[in-house]
Amino acid sequence: MVFPEYRPRRMRQHETFRAMIRETRLSTEQMIYPLFVLPGKGIREEVSSMPGVFRYSVDQLVKEAKDCLAMGIRSVILFGLPEKKDGLGSGAYAKHGIVQRAVQELKNKVPDMTIVTDVCLCEYTDHGHCGCLAGQEIDNDATLELLAKTALSHAQAGADMVAPSDMMDGRISEIRTTLDEHSFHTVPIMSYAVKYASAFYGPFRDAAECSPQFGDRRSYQMDPANSREALREATLDVDEGADILMVKPALAYLDIISRLRDEFDLPIAAYQVSGEYAMIKAAAEKGWIDGERIMAESLIAIRRAGADIILTYFAKDMARLLAKTKG
């Protein structure tokens, strides 16, 4: 048999060759670890639908952040569970709200940790939607002021970056203007620019206790069938002042990550969401898959599609695997 001059298997013979020409790599610097914080003291409770993921009181959150930093995970994103909820989500922008207290404590106790904050109202409203209501409808424009107040309160507490996840029209412009007016010009906005109305969010809603009490979120989150619309959404956020564009979820939307990477020169983030994490964990616990390899393969796929940054609940697991591989 006559072979062509180039035989690809030559460079696959052993790990030294494979590592030498590997096109896509993972590192802990590329990952942001989501953390849930709630009122109280000494609390570290596991989320039943997300094995290995916990809700922390602020004192325990500090310990977790220190552990993360020691493992090389330098960035976290905070989601808060308030003591009380109301129709306007006032706990989101309260001066001494749970996220605000957590940010202050982390900046005091773990100053080298980069803190990103989720900016949304769904965890704080008694109806579970991402904005304030006018009857049974989300009042987009009235919500913008509340989102800007939330982002500002996070910046005042010491957040390094804010990440609006609400998908209201015009919120990036409102937040950027408010931050700039209060001299927070250097606080970047990581926009959930392309957030789909996905079924992959179920375990997160358990963790954050933020399921809608009526209806759903399809009037403001994107239709999973749409691709071109993602470019329009991202373009709006670029024009309004976003610094990073995020796609959420990740694995079912690798094509969207790739399209944004080709279209824009801003950093692209992708959120490997709770359902993606839970499925891999559950199948691994059943012995149906090799959990470590699937975890790594899924993260590589997200990077290969074009994401510069990955928000993932696997950050600590992947940090351990990377350390073991290097060792």
Side-chain angles (χ1 to χ4, degrees), residues 110-304:
V110 199
D112 293 332
M113 178 64 76
T114 296
I115 303 171
V116 185
T117 56
D118 177 75
V119 176
C120 195
L121 301 183
C122 63
E123 297 110 299
Y124 304 90
T125 54
D126 52 16
H127 47 75
H129 280 286
C130 300
C132 54
L133 300 180
Q136 295 283 294
E137 301 294 327
I138 307 300
D139 188 333
N140 186 99
D141 293 1
T143 299
L144 299 183
E145 181 183 355
L146 303 183
L147 294 170
K149 286 175 65 176
T150 301
L152 177 61
S153 71
H154 293 175
Q156 289 171 332
D160 298 293
M161 183 186 297
V162 295
S165 62
D166 55 283
M167 289 298 285
M168 297 296 118
D169 295 341
R171 87 266 203 225
I172 301 303
S173 177
E174 188 79 12
I175 291 170
R176 184 72 272 160
T177 298
T178 298
L179 290 175
D180 289 352
E181 286 176 347
H182 290 81
S183 300
F184 290 105
H185 306 88
T186 60
V187 173
I189 299 174
M190 178 168 63
S191 170
Y192 289 65
V194 183
K195 181 178 180 180
Y196 285 90
S198 172
F200 283 96
Y201 302 148
F204 174 91
R205 292 176 183 177
D206 291 341
E209 299 177 353
C210 62
S211 295
Q213 298 304 300
F214 65 89
D216 54 44
R217 294 174 179 159
R218 286 184 287 184
S219 71
Y220 44 102
Q221 295 177 0
M222 280 186 54
D223 187 332
N226 291 357
S227 174
R228 294 189 299 272
E229 184 185 3
L231 299 182
R232 295 197 295 273
E233 282 279 8
T235 299
L236 286 170
D237 286 2
V238 171
D239 291 344
E240 291 179 20
D243 298 283
I244 300 171
L245 301 173
M246 188 199 301
V247 176
K248 181 183 179 182
L251 286 178
Y253 299 90
L254 295 177
D255 61 317
I256 307 301
I257 296 170
S258 181
R259 289 196 72 173
L260 262 64
R261 175 70 291 149
D262 291 342
E263 187 73 18
F264 302 101
D265 57 8
L266 288 181
I268 304 297
Y271 199 145
Q272 186 183 43
V273 298
S274 60
E276 300 170 63
Y277 172 87
M279 289 190 301
I280 294 172
K281 281 288 189 178
E285 287 182 2
K286 288 281 189 180
W288 295 340
I289 61 171
D290 182 327
E292 276 196 349
R293 290 188 64 188
I294 294 289
M295 168 188 68
E297 189 173 339
S298 67
L299 291 169
I300 281 287
I302 297 166
R303 287 273 296 135
R304 194 182 63 244

Side-chain angles (χ1 to χ4, degrees), residues 23-40:
E23 299 173 19
T24 307
R25 299 179 185 274
L26 289 171
S27 73
T28 53
E29 288 86 355
Q30 300 157 346
M31 299 177 196
I32 300 176
Y33 189 37
L35 292 172
F36 299 95
V37 59
L38 76 176

Side-chain angles (χ1 to χ4, degrees), residues 24-64:
T24 307
R25 299 179 185 274
L26 289 171
S27 73
T28 53
E29 288 86 355
Q30 300 157 346
M31 299 177 196
I32 300 176
Y33 189 37
L35 292 172
F36 299 95
V37 59
L38 76 176
K41 192 171 183 180
I43 300 172
R44 182 180 183 270
E45 56 185 30
E46 190 169 26
V47 180
S48 60
S49 55
M50 299 175 70
V53 173
F54 296 82
R55 289 181 286 226
Y56 301 95
S57 53
V58 173
D59 58 318
Q60 296 299 308
L61 186 76
V62 169
K63 294 179 181 178
E64 180 68 4

